[in-house]
């Protein structure tokens, strides 16, 4: 066992145990249990020891590729100066780092756990392999150089592009001879595969229980290896070393990411097993096989009357919702078999049983999403979303079944929404997947705001199996978002629903997904001036009829068709705004009635403004 003063043991205790003979000192601050195999302990913790002795140095040369020791027991690092440290058979060789180093983060695992370290980037380690009269360069074997070259060519697309990128780094550090030699090698050589370390992840990714491929992380970057094609291509490697966008889009964000304390993609995928779109991720086939299948056996409409859930809610009561709901839900999510959800709003995965009982979807099919009331002015958020979904239904959009739940102990109503991306009963053998536009456009979740409807249309057109119809729906969706003042229709709230028939090797249908997560944001505290999440015709506020018609022409929708669609949508929403009522139990609250009137008022005002524009 290794001990580091200040990290695993304090100085006084280390000194006392060393005098007693139970610890053996190696160098200042580093001790090993005397009864241990000291050589094995030192070599097994070489990176940790180097980081302790040289906290500002980083792994370089062969060690940055191997993420550890070279086969001869040397560990190569770069730092402020040239120096060498020997601990028994471990030799730490440090050379002077370049003035403008290119480094990247990595994770190393040993018996004390995982540690995050900096390493030479793929470009820099490749240049280090060609340094003149350098011990660091001599440690890089021909096989290692081949691996480095292949990695760079994969990243930059061609040997020429890789050479140009390497040259840019070489010039910035005055490594001209190294740049020349690296260029010659890149334009001539192939080669091999990067070895893993103890922190490496190897995960199996399945869809509807069918294995799609292998996802690995070697401590530095991701690799996706698809299984020999048996299903439609769902997961694509967008860029070498990057987590595939489709899988990234499934990961928790917002509230759930905070309570799970998963600071990176690696931790998130290691912690979860079940995701939306019928995707499961696990380290073994046994774990995959043990997960329940998400199939809808009891539709919500069987227990819904005039917008009210008539089944039996078996979730937390007033005390746990108001005081400990988030904590209890967090504990639920800490169990790997609990389905993971994305989105900022608090949500709970639920299962609706045949007798109308609604329970958390822990070891059951995940069929419905529960959205409880918020706090600090957002207590009516579920009611507002229900209203907006009803407006969408009235506007002719496909909308999933939803209902307001009368919560116990006089709590504000919650919203229950039925999943539309799962099979409808045991006879349904289709395979379904929901892919949001962050994934489709290969953008991180942080970029979900600030894009444009026109860009969404550009990504939609080549993928849809009915692009003309879907472009029309997208146009009307943008208009609906403006008419209901939905400032949260961002790239993760627009998606494609992909469907493949049983046994098909390609998707049978790829269409714009039904309406979901629609909310009038302007009625909530601090959002009175909320703008559209996605611009159209270069604008995100004060939209006029001509803006929509210009956008329609841009995306290839005939002006006459666009005007007719707008007129019909406005007429439908105006009629519904005059008649839309909440379930009786929800209207007992003055705050809820006020919110209903505000939402209907906004829809009425904006509809009238568009009608006036057209006259």
């Amino acid at each position: 066992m290794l001990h580091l003063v200040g990290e695993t043991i304090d100085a006084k205790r280390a000194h006392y145990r060393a005098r007693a003979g139970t610890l053996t000192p190696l160098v200042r601050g580093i001790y090993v249990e005397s009864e241990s195999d000291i050589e094995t302990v030192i070599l097994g913790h070489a990176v940790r020891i180097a980081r302790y002795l040289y906290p500002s140095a980083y792994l370089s040369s062969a060690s940055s590729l191997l993420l550890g020791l070279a086969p001869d027991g040397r560990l190569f690092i770069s730092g402020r100066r040239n120096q060498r440290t020997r601990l028994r058979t471990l030799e730490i060789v440090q050379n002077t780092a370049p003035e403008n180093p290119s480094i990247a983060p990595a994770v190393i695992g040993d018996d004390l756990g995982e540690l995050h370290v900096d390493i030479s980037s793929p470009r820099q380690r490749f240049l280090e392999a060609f340094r003149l009269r350098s011990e660091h360069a001599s440690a890089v074997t021909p096989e290692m150089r081949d691996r480095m070259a292949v990695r760079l060519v994969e990243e930059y697309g061609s040997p020429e592009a890789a050479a140009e990128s390497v040259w840019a780094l070489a010039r910035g550090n005055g490594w001209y001879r190294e740049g020349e030699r690296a260029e010659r090698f890149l334009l001539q050589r192939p080669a091999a595969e990067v070895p893993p370390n103890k922190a490496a992840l190897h995960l199996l990714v399945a869809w509807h229980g069918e294995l799609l491929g292998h996802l690995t992380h070697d401590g530095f970057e991701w690799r996706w290896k698809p299984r020999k094609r048996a299903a439609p291509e769902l997961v694509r490697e967008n860029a070498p070393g990057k987590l595939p966008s489709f899988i990234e889009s499934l990961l928790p964000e917002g509230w759930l990411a905070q309570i799970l304390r998963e600071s990176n993609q690696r931790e998130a995928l290691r912690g979860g097993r079940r995701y939306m779109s019928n995707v499961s991720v696990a380290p073994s086939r046994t774990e995959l096989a043990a997960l329940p299948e998400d199939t809808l056996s009891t539709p919500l409409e069987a227990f819904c009357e005039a917008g009210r859930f008539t089944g039996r809610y078996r979730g937390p009561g007033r005390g746990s919702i108001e005081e400990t709901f988030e904590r209890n839900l967090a504990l639920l999510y800490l169990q790997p078999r609990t389905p993971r959800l994305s989105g900022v709003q608090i949500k709970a995965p639920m299962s609706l049983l045949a007798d109308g009982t609604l329970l958390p979807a822990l070891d059951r099919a995940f069929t419905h999403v529960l959205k409880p009331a918020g706090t600090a002015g957002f207590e009516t958020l579920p009611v507002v979303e229900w209203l907006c979904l009803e407006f969408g239904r009235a506007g002719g959009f496909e909308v999933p079944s939803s209902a307001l739940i009368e919560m116990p102990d006089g709590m504000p109503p919650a919203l229950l929404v039925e999943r539309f991306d799962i099979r409808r009963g045991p006879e349904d053998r289709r395979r379904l997947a929901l892919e949001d536009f962050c994934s489709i456009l290969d953008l991180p979740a942080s970029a979900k705001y600030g894009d444009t409807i026109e860009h969404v249309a550009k990504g939609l057109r080549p993928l849809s199996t009915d692009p003309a119809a879907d472009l029309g729906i997208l146009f009307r969706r943008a208009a609906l978002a403006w008419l209901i003042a939905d400032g949260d229709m961002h790239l993760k709230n627009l998606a494609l629903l992909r469907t493949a028939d049983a046994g098909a090797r390609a998707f049978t249908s790829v269409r714009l997904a039904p309406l979901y997560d629609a909310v009038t944001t302007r009625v909530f505290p601090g959002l009175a001036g909320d703008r559209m999440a996605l611009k159209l015709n270069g604008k995100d506020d004060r939209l006029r009829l001509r803006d929509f018609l210009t956008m329609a022409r841009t995306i290839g929708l005939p002006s006459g068709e666009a005007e007719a669609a707008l007129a019909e949508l406005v007429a439908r929403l105006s009629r519904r705004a005059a008649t839309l009522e909440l379930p009786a139990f929800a209207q007992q609250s003055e705050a809820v009635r006020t919110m209903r009137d505000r939402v209907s008022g906004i829809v009425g005002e904006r509809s009238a403004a568009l009608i006036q524009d057209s006259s």
Side-chain angles (χ1 to χ4, degrees), residues 93-146:
V93 183
Q94 177 175 271
N95 71 357
T96 304
E99 290 184 6
N100 301 297
S102 173
I103 58 177
V107 185
I108 308 294
D110 59 24
D111 293 336
L112 290 181
E114 295 181 1
L115 63 155
H116 295 260
V117 297
D118 287 332
I119 67 173
S120 293
S121 71
R123 288 189 304 157
Q124 180 163 309
R125 75 171 72 123
F126 192 61
L127 284 170
E128 289 167 347
F130 295 95
R131 298 228 65 191
L132 300 174
R133 296 180 295 277
S134 166
E135 187 175 356
H136 280 56
S138 66
V140 178
T141 65
E143 292 78 11
M144 291 178 186
R145 288 186 185 182
D146 283 337

Side-chain angles (χ1 to χ4, degrees), residues 143-380:
E143 292 78 11
M144 291 178 186
R145 288 186 185 182
D146 283 337
R147 295 173 192 167
M148 294 178 185
V150 167
R151 168 64 179 79
L152 288 170
V153 171
E154 285 181 346
E155 180 175 356
Y156 294 100
S158 69
E160 293 77 11
E164 183 177 345
S165 179
V166 169
W167 253 116
L169 181 60
R171 282 192 293 269
N173 289 289
W175 288 4
Y176 298 105
R177 290 189 178 180
E178 290 85 347
E180 291 172 356
R181 298 174 72 194
E183 180 183 41
R184 284 197 299 271
F185 192 93
L186 276 170
L187 299 179
Q188 296 169 2
R189 295 271 186 160
E193 190 179 333
V194 180
N197 72 80
K198 287 188 178 181
L201 281 183
H202 182 195
L203 300 169
L204 304 179
V205 178
W207 179 44
H208 286 286
E210 180 181 356
L211 184 65
L212 290 181
H214 301 257
L215 183 67
T216 59
H217 190 275
D218 63 6
F220 173 60
E221 60 186 1
W222 291 101
R223 288 289 175 184
W224 168 249
K225 184 178 180 181
R227 184 188 177 199
K228 189 174 180 180
R229 190 79 177 274
E233 184 182 42
L234 181 63
V235 181
R236 304 172 301 279
E237 185 176 59
N238 304 81
K242 180 184 174 185
L243 183 68
S245 294
F246 178 78
I247 295 179
E248 182 182 2
S249 72
L250 302 175
L251 299 184
E253 55 175 329
W255 171 82
L256 182 54
Q258 291 175 13
I259 62 104
L260 289 172
R261 296 180 181 177
E262 294 168 342
S263 60
N264 56 53
Q265 298 168 337
R266 192 172 155 277
E267 291 178 4
L269 283 165
R270 184 167 57 181
R273 295 290 178 269
R274 300 169 64 190
Y275 297 88
M276 295 291 285
S277 294
N278 309 287
V279 171
S280 49
V281 180
S284 69
R285 290 177 181 264
T286 303
E287 283 196 59
L288 286 177
L291 297 173
E293 182 181 5
D294 293 337
T295 301
L296 182 69
S297 57
T298 307
L300 179 56
E301 61 186 19
F303 294 95
C304 180
E305 183 178 335
R308 174 178 175 268
F309 176 61
T310 59
R312 292 184 298 279
Y313 173 70
R314 292 293 180 263
R318 170 178 283 279
S320 53
I321 284 281
E322 292 194 348
E323 299 168 13
T324 62
F325 178 78
E326 290 192 29
R327 182 179 62 82
N328 286 345
L329 192 53
L331 293 175
L332 182 69
Y333 274 117
L334 291 178
Q335 302 182 60
R337 61 187 186 278
T338 301
R340 299 293 182 88
L341 302 172
S342 62
V344 174
Q345 186 182 359
I346 298 175
K347 303 172 186 175
M350 307 297 286
S351 185
L352 182 59
L353 306 186
D355 63 357
T357 303
L358 186 67
L359 296 170
L362 188 58
D363 291 312
R364 300 177 177 86
F366 170 26
T367 60
H368 294 79
V369 179
L370 177 71
K371 300 183 176 184
T375 58
F378 288 82
E379 290 81 0
T380 57

